[in-house]
Amino acid sequence: MNTFKSVFNQYDWNTIQSKIYQTSSQDVERALAKNKRNLDDFLALISPSALPYLEQMAQECHELTKKRFGKTIQMYAPLYLSNECQNICTYCGFSLDNRIKRKTLSDTEIKQEVEALKNVGFDHVLLVTGEANYTVNINYFLNAITQIRECFSIISVEVQPLSTEEYECLHEAGVYSVLVYQETYHQEVYKKYHTKGKKSNFDFRLETPDRIGTAGIHKIGLGVLLGLEDWRTDSFFNALHIDYLQKKYWQTKYSVSFPRLRPAEGIIKPNFIMDDKDLTQLICAYRLWNEDLEISISTRENEKFRNNIIPIGTTSMSAGSKTNPGGYVVDPQSLEQFEINDERSAQEIAKIITNSGYEPVWKDWDKNFSHKVENLKVLK
């Protein structure tokens, strides 16, 4: 099966990086003048030359997002099931070489955490684990989904890369979306950050979205860990990946997230600093390039940034997040994957969204409606 690897191999990191930093203001103006933009335009819009046009970009970004998604922000919460991990990743609190207490939630503990999230009002949950094949594997995931699938309209997962057959099992179990981040598309630098474990296999991770798309998962979420490498070049390759996937798996929806490296147990400092203006530029560039792309902002970001980004291009936000297994009620002191930056409650975030003239959406779609649609297709 042809995968993104064949496209990726046609590009050179240093060549793309040079092209980004050699972009002129005239290139940016040509990109902004277009109604429909391609990857060359995206490259221009993430270049340093585009910074003076940020206000213009933000205004158009606002209008495009409003036209495509309305004035709504979907609310979701991560549910960390385990901090066990067999990888050594120099930027992650769950890394195998961190001598910390490991915890994987039992069925009873999962139900306690789910009850806490439901009491807040969440109807979209993101299941997250470390990468430990012997303990948190496909059987564990399927069991956890069985415990909770009647409690949420949307179940998303962010777990270790799986086989196509395993993703098909998740799809059949009711998983709506799968998030997988390449972390960095710089192949040589990737090896330095991922020194041991299955995650050190760059190609296997690179081809994961192909397996997700082949399995028929409704939505695929991509992103890079901002701070590991030059964010502009990494983001071009992430957009290249999305462009390839949208053309090949055209019935699938896509989202992009922007995790900036945050403090955690035993991790390195960011290799590249990305400030708020840079992140705003990147969000605008994605929206101007691809108005169908869903854009998610997590609690990694600070309160001021999250407040201001609401009307620009955001379509979903996490709130009241805990990044440790059992963090909501079962074991609040267990190890976090990273420190969150916005500690406000879900109700506070919902109020801010409302005060910004937007609607916080707790339930994105109804399973009963989808069943009716399927029945209608059969009748036709």
Side-chain angles (χ1 to χ4, degrees), residues 44-277:
L45 294 173
I46 60 173
S47 71
S49 294
L51 271 172
Y53 302 87
L54 186 55
E55 181 63 32
Q56 179 183 345
M57 291 170 64
Q59 290 177 5
E60 184 177 348
C61 186
H62 166 73
E63 294 300 327
L64 282 175
T65 306
K66 186 170 63 173
K67 180 185 76 172
R68 174 62 180 82
F69 295 95
K71 300 185 73 174
T72 62
I73 305 290
Q74 186 186 80
M75 304 279 287
Y76 74 95
L79 172 53
Y80 278 71
L81 300 176
S82 175
N83 62 14
E84 294 189 58
C85 194
Q86 295 166 342
N87 297 318
I88 294 181
C89 304
T90 59
Y91 52 81
C92 182
F94 290 176
S95 184
L96 178 65
D97 56 345
N98 283 338
R99 303 302 178 191
I100 46 86
K101 179 183 176 182
R102 303 291 173 170
K103 183 176 183 60
T104 297
L105 299 187
S106 65
D107 289 357
T108 299
E109 290 171 331
I110 291 172
K111 290 176 182 176
Q112 289 177 281
E113 292 288 284
V114 166
E115 183 178 0
L117 290 176
K118 293 302 293 182
N119 286 339
V120 173
F122 285 108
D123 201 44
H124 179 182
V125 67
L126 170 64
L127 304 181
V128 187
T129 70
E131 300 189 11
N133 297 324
Y134 298 113
T135 50
V136 284
N137 50 33
I138 186 62
N139 292 327
Y140 179 84
F141 304 145
L142 293 174
N143 177 67
I145 292 164
T146 299
Q147 304 295 320
I148 71 172
R149 62 185 168 197
E150 296 305 317
C151 301
F152 298 97
S153 293
I154 297 181
I155 298 175
S156 302
V157 299
E158 184 182 336
V159 298
Q160 65 212 34
L162 303 171
S163 68
T164 301
E165 293 73 23
E166 289 171 325
Y167 283 125
E168 288 172 347
C169 290
L170 292 182
H171 180 49
E172 292 173 5
V175 168
Y176 174 82
S177 65
V178 177
L179 282 63
V180 59
Y181 304 141
Q182 189 62 29
E183 313 300 10
T184 177
Y185 287 86
H186 194 306
Q187 195 163 359
E188 292 305 313
V189 170
Y190 183 95
K191 296 175 184 177
K192 298 177 182 178
Y193 289 117
H194 308 94
T195 60
K196 184 177 181 179
K198 197 171 183 178
K199 193 170 181 177
S200 62
N201 187 332
F202 179 89
D203 288 353
F204 185 75
R205 195 168 190 90
L206 189 71
E207 295 174 327
T208 299
D210 276 287
R211 299 192 297 276
I212 301 170
T214 300
I217 297 289
H218 189 73
K219 185 170 76 175
I220 302 174
L222 282 81
V224 294
L225 184 53
L226 300 165
L228 297 185
E229 251 301 331
D230 173 47
W231 67 264
R232 291 184 167 91
T233 311
D234 248 338
S235 296
F236 172 84
F237 279 96
N238 192 62
L240 177 70
H241 205 164
I242 293 170
D243 184 66
Y244 157 85
L245 292 167
Q246 283 187 314
K247 290 173 180 175
K248 186 168 184 178
Y249 310 102
W250 56 271
Q251 292 178 305
T252 303
K253 295 172 67 177
Y254 296 90
S255 67
V256 63
S257 300
F258 307 90
R260 280 195 279 188
L261 194 58
R262 291 283 300 145
E265 181 71 24
I267 72 164
I268 60 166
K269 293 182 178 179
N271 195 27
F272 289 81
I273 301 299
M274 182 188 209
D275 62 28
D276 288 355
K277 184 180 289 187

Side-chain angles (χ1 to χ4, degrees), residues 258 260 279 298-303 305-306 341-342:
F258 307 90
R260 280 195 279 188
L279 184 51
S298 77
T299 52
R300 285 178 182 261
E301 300 307 325
N302 63 58
E303 296 182 9
F305 182 84
R306 280 173 37 105
N341 211 343
D342 186 349

Side-chain angles (χ1 to χ4, degrees), residues 10-61:
Q10 298 173 31
Y11 290 79
D12 174 71
W13 176 280
N14 292 330
T15 300
I16 293 298
Q17 188 173 49
S18 295
K19 189 174 181 180
I20 291 170
Y21 286 91
Q22 291 171 8
T23 297
S24 67
S25 57
Q26 288 78 18
D27 295 324
V28 176
E29 290 172 4
R30 278 193 292 270
L32 287 172
K34 293 183 177 180
N35 291 323
K36 188 173 180 61
R37 302 178 178 98
N38 57 29
L39 280 170
D40 286 336
D41 300 317
F42 178 81
L43 184 148
L45 294 173
I46 60 173
S47 71
S49 294
L51 271 172
Y53 302 87
L54 186 55
E55 181 63 32
Q56 179 183 345
M57 291 170 64
Q59 290 177 5
E60 184 177 348
C61 186

